[in-house]
Amino acid sequence: RMRWPCSIRSIRSIACRWPRRAVSRGDRDAWVEYFSRRAPGELRAELRRVFSAIGFPDSLPAYHDIELDPSGYIWLQRYEVPFGPGRNWTVPSPDGSVHGLISTPVPLNVLEITDTLLIGVGRNEYDEEIVHLFRLARPDADEPRSVCS
């Protein structure tokens, strides 16, 4: 095992005080269905039974993913049900207010954010992975707006 001589210090903390979303019965059912349907046919019923017996938290996590773009902005992907990538991202300003709101046309796992592109992988109706590239139009003003097309 190698040890790296380094120290860690906080550069910045941003508090985004968004209300927590309670986990509903529909959320639980969607989560069970999402994971069960990815199992081989003979295991689906058993997985549904096991997953249905699992305890769920009272509220959903605030974020599903966090990315950093080349300009130093943090991108926060809100947690969406069923478990997995969603479409909605918030880019906070250093003071915690909203700098930008991004909604991608399809749910996807973001792989890279550049100054002009957002690159990610989504799935089609056949559950095949599809690579998507979206052009980013950064806002000039301080008012938040959608920036993904």
Side-chain angles (χ1 to χ4, degrees), residues 11-76:
I11 297 172
R12 176 176 35 162
S13 296
I14 299 172
C16 297
R17 301 193 192 322
W18 295 321
R20 301 290 294 228
R21 188 174 142 221
V23 174
S24 70
R25 181 68 191 174
D27 294 337
R28 288 177 56 129
D29 293 345
W31 189 89
V32 168
E33 180 59 28
Y34 179 84
F35 284 101
S36 297
R37 76 170 177 251
R38 285 169 166 62
E42 66 274 5
L43 292 178
R44 286 185 185 152
E46 180 64 15
L47 279 178
R48 280 190 180 94
R49 188 188 66 72
V50 169
F51 285 152
S52 295
I54 292 174
F56 281 74
D58 294 333
S59 63
L60 295 173
Y63 316 115
H64 174 77
D65 198 4
I66 300 174
E67 296 287 337
L68 181 67
D69 74 15
S71 298
Y73 284 101
I74 296 170
W75 291 48
L76 305 171

Side-chain angles (χ1 to χ4, degrees), residues 75 80 86-90 100-106 108 118 134 145-149:
W75 291 48
E80 297 177 34
R87 301 170 184 238
N88 302 309
W89 293 77
T90 301
L101 300 171
I102 296 88
S103 184
T104 60
V106 296
L108 66 135
L118 183 142
F134 297 104
R145 64 183 178 99
S146 178
V147 297
C148 192
S149 61

